[in-house]
Amino acid sequence: MYKNFFAGQWIDGSDAMDNINPSDTSDCIGQFAMASKLQTEQAIDAAFDAFPQWAKSPLQQRSEMLDKIGDEILSRKQELGEMLAREEGKTLLEGIGEVVRAGQIFKFFGAQVVRQGGENFDSIRPEVDVAVTRSPVGVVGLILPWNFPIAIPAWKIAPALAYGNCVVFKPSELVPALAHALTEIISRSGIPAGVFNLVMGRGDVVGSCIANSPKVHAISFTGSITTGKRVASAAVARMAKIQLEMGGKNPLVVLDDADLDTAVDCAVQGAFYSTGQRCTASSRLIVTSGIHDRFVKALSTRLLQLKTDHALKKGTDIGPVIDQRQLDHDTRYIQIGIDEGATLECGGEQVFRDTEGFYLPPVLFTNTHNDMRINREEIFGPVASVICVRDYDEALSIANDTTFGLSAGIVTNSLKFSSDFKRNVESGIVAVNLPTAGVDYHVPFGGTKSSSYGSREQGEYAKEFYTSVKTSYTLA
Ligand code: UN1
């Protein structure tokens, strides 16, 4: 039984959940404690009580602590990567990559701790000095998804702690093992009791309690738009600070002059790796007519070569989708695409392997248009559509014709079109001759329109959310 961690103690839940391997449903990774509402309140109280002391803690102590957490994560990348692949279903290589990213994030914020500085201004009044400084926000509630079980926790927990906040961390109930492993590492870093708390459990119990608690000063959320809106309205009702990262329907534009191999690489990596379960996935492939047929042929050939199998099996390119519910959801959308008149170019059916898992090989639709539901709603699976367009102008206008705005990509050799695209595409991230997914850890991450709300995550920009600004005036 893996326990919750709050007020510096490992604590049993009021209930327990099985953690099932999506590559092999006979493999149960463990039983994880589910916190009750009362326990969640106790965790929040612990964070609230620990905050005044932690806010004043020596920077050197915080810096060394985060660096040490990063070191341990990096030194255990193989083991943690395996656990990640086993629990979430991305391949071992992707699992290890994600663990490394998490380690690097902790080390980055370990260094950022001692790079905190304010600004001085001359006043408009004589003899007055103005200083702008930053203070921690307080107790930060983190409500997180299952698709990056260690990297997303890292990019929220590390800055939260670096800037002097206390944390109440609610992972998705589908990936408790990595959350538990990360908590175990943090718990041994010398962190004072109550500063970091793990509460596993259901959204309507734990998540809702965090969103509604007057003792939680800020909430950072990554997940679906529906849940994000619910969290946001609870937080706004009590004027808590909020940061939301939600869906995407990210366009990858391929122009006639593109290098075909680069275009296919970007589409395969961006749309189908991590089983397409990324909010940065390129689910709309917008292709100009001169290269369309060659692109579709080369991409389908590549897709048919990809091996969809057990995430830990050597040679697997695409792991399973996360669970039965997601598989049903993906399959429902495939049917919607067929009913809307799209052509199923490859994939479309669940497949069966040696172990019982949720295997859905890459699905590619062609002959689609941007008004179809498969091109308007986020599917969050290994499903992408090709939209054929006349020219660059039509490609840009279709790329922007969406309620989302997280990531966008273009494959072209034209400086003119790539520059124009970087300027005019409505997204928070734009990639030229690179996949829309897979981002660096030291620069801002986030989107526009309904993809994101609040200030950016990651890199130095994270401080906008995890600190509040104070302006002081002093008569000299
Ligand atoms: C990436 O593409 O490297 O949930 C990161 C997601 C995003 C993270 C994507 N928040 O997919």
Side-chain angles (χ1 to χ4, degrees):
M1 169 66 75
Y2 295 88
K3 300 180 181 188
N4 285 311
F5 181 76
F6 51 88
Q9 308 283 329
W10 291 99
I11 295 173
D12 276 324
S14 59
D15 204 347
M17 62 189 154
D18 286 337
N19 186 9
I20 302 296
N21 178 348
S23 300
D24 176 2
T25 53
S26 70
D27 176 25
C28 177
I29 298 160
Q31 285 226 309
F32 290 81
M34 302 266 269
S36 64
K37 181 164 184 279
L38 180 68
Q39 288 178 321
T40 311
E41 282 165 356
Q42 287 167 348
I44 295 169
D45 284 344
F48 190 83
D49 294 343
F51 176 64
Q53 205 55 39
W54 178 245
K56 288 187 289 202
S57 61
L59 295 189
Q60 189 61 29
Q61 175 196 343
R62 271 189 242 163
S63 172
E64 284 170 12
M65 205 191 78
L66 291 170
D67 194 59
K68 188 169 150 192
I69 295 168
D71 279 339
E72 180 168 345
I73 294 171
L74 290 175
S75 71
R76 292 171 57 191
K77 65 178 183 189
Q78 183 71 27
E79 169 216 343
L80 293 172
E82 268 170 35
M83 194 193 286
L84 201 164
R86 185 174 166 208
E87 158 173 89
E88 197 269 349
K90 62 181 68 169
T91 62
L92 179 58
L93 212 63
E94 292 174 319
I96 294 172
E98 187 185 329
V99 170
V100 169
R101 195 201 298 206
Q104 287 165 335
I105 290 168
F106 272 98
K107 291 181 75 69
F108 174 85
F109 282 105
Q112 283 304 106
V113 171
V114 287
R115 291 203 188 105
Q116 308 190 48
E119 281 183 290
N120 290 307
F121 291 82
D122 292 331
S123 170
I124 55 167
R125 288 170 279 175
E127 316 272 308
V128 171
D129 290 331
V130 186
V132 177
T133 54
R134 286 180 182 269
S135 322
V137 175
V139 175
V140 181
L142 306 178
I143 302 177
L144 305 196
W146 48 262
N147 64 330
F148 282 86
I150 191 163
I152 296 180
W155 78 55
K156 295 181 197 279
I157 294 167
L161 297 176
Y163 297 115
N165 304 282
C166 291
V167 171
V168 179
F169 167 36
K170 184 220 171 290
S172 155
E173 55 267 53
L174 295 175
V175 289
L178 257 287
H180 189 276
L182 177 60
T183 301
E184 209 266 321
I185 295 172
I186 296 173
S187 76
R188 284 187 283 97
S189 66
I191 198 162
V195 172
F196 176 81
N197 307 276
L198 166 73
V199 270
M200 299 180 281
R202 288 169 37 163
D204 58 355
V205 179
V206 177
S208 153
C209 182
I210 293 172
N212 287 293
S213 168
K215 290 184 173 172
V216 176
H217 305 100
I219 296 176
S220 183
F221 167 87
T222 299
S224 70
I225 294 211
T226 320
T227 313
K229 281 187 177 160
R230 212 174 299 140
V231 170
S233 33
V236 168
R238 57 186 185 78
M239 301 293 162
K241 196 169 181 181
I242 184 119
Q243 176 182 59
L244 308 171
E245 284 303 337
M246 299 170 290
K249 199 71 203 172
N250 309 294
L252 175 72
V253 170
V254 178
L255 297 185
D256 284 355
D257 70 358
D259 176 72
L260 189 62
D261 287 342
T262 307
V264 171
D265 283 348
C266 288
V268 169
Q269 160 64 251
F272 300 104
Y273 274 38
S274 299
T275 322
Q277 301 179 136
R278 293 188 281 199
C279 57
T280 45
S282 335
S283 47
R284 294 184 300 142
L285 309 171
I286 304 170
V287 185
T288 47
S289 53
I291 196 172
H292 174 271
D293 293 358
R294 280 182 295 137
F295 174 77
V296 168
K297 187 158 178 275
L299 178 58
S300 350
T301 308
R302 273 282 291 283
L303 294 181
L304 292 171
Q305 288 161 356
L306 295 179
K307 288 195 178 54
T308 303
D309 206 328
H310 196 299
L312 288 168
K313 202 167 182 174
K314 217 168 169 217
T316 294
D317 300 297
I318 310 288
V321 301
I322 185 76
D323 64 0
Q324 185 65 49
R325 201 165 140 234
Q326 186 66 42
L327 183 65
D328 292 344
H329 171 92
D330 295 351
T331 318
R332 211 162 38 242
Y333 269 99
I334 295 166
Q335 192 55 48
I336 290 172
I338 295 168
D339 294 345
E340 285 178 313
T343 307
L344 200 48
E345 196 70 32
C346 51
E349 301 269 340
Q350 179 183 6
V351 295
F352 298 91
R353 298 295 183 239
D354 294 347
T355 49
E356 204 163 306
F358 310 109
Y359 298 114
L360 185 65
V363 180
L364 185 68
F365 278 117
T366 52
N367 293 315
T368 80
H369 57 76
N370 202 43
D371 291 335
M372 290 177 170
R373 280 183 67 193
I374 50 166
N375 286 327
R376 303 216 73 87
E377 297 164 23
E378 186 177 45
I379 302 174
F380 217 66
V383 185
S385 315
V386 177
I387 303 170
C388 185
V389 291
R390 267 187 324 273
D391 54 16
Y392 169 75
D393 289 337
E394 191 185 2
L396 176 68
S397 117
I398 285 183
N400 286 340
D401 179 10
T402 170
T403 55
F404 295 103
L406 183 56
S407 187
I410 187 165
V411 187
T412 178
N413 282 316
S414 154
L415 180 61
K416 175 170 166 260
F417 291 137
S418 61
S419 306
D420 189 85
F421 191 73
K422 282 194 279 184
R423 250 195 313 275
N424 294 312
V425 75
E426 296 161 3
S427 65
I429 299 164
V430 49
V432 178
N433 294 327
L434 286 168
T436 57
V439 298
D440 286 6
Y441 64 82
H442 64 304
V443 286
F445 175 84
T448 58
K449 302 202 260 187
S450 65
S451 287
S452 304
Y453 187 89
S455 58
R456 289 286 183 264
E457 303 200 74
Q458 301 196 53
E460 209 189 318
Y461 283 64
K463 72 174 179 231
E464 294 307 329
F465 181 72
Y466 293 101
T467 63
S468 63
V469 163
K470 182 177 282 173
T471 311
S472 18
Y473 297 93
T474 310
L475 183 60

